[in-house]
Amino acid sequence: VLMIAPATPDTARLPVTVRLMASLLLMLAAWISAAGSKGTTARRLAMGIGVGVTFGFVGDVLLSQWGPPKPLGLELGMLSFAAGHLAY
């Protein structure tokens, strides 16, 4: 539906709570995968993905309306995303 309907300012983005819940679910899935890979050679990769996605979730929260005011929230959010990319 989102791909077919034209984007307007009211429909161009998902609500903040939906975006944060999606980010939270990805983070939980990454950590469940890391926990399930215990004792395997994929453990290091799964842990890096878990850490990276966690920093991404923190960045999403910092950039949302529930984060700190904009100058600080933007800087902390960008640092969190950068740390997440390093973890990948």
Side-chain angles (χ1 to χ4, degrees):
V1 173
L2 292 175
M3 296 171 72
I4 297 170
T8 65
D10 295 333
T11 63
R13 302 188 82 180
L14 293 172
V16 174
T17 52
V18 173
R19 290 192 313 249
L20 290 177
M21 289 303 292
S23 185
L24 177 66
L25 287 174
L26 285 172
M27 183 184 73
L28 291 174
W31 284 113
I32 289 169
S33 175
S37 67
K38 188 174 184 178
T40 67
T41 57
R43 174 83 169 168
R44 184 174 174 196
L45 175 64
M47 291 295 292
I49 292 172
V51 170
V53 173
T54 300
F55 276 117
F57 173 71
V58 170
D60 285 339
V61 172
L62 290 170
L63 292 173
S64 75
Q65 63 194 24
W66 296 310
K70 279 301 169 207
L72 178 63
L74 178 64
E75 293 168 358
L76 292 175
M78 301 234 352
L79 284 172
S80 183
F81 283 123
H85 284 281
L86 290 174
Y88 292 138

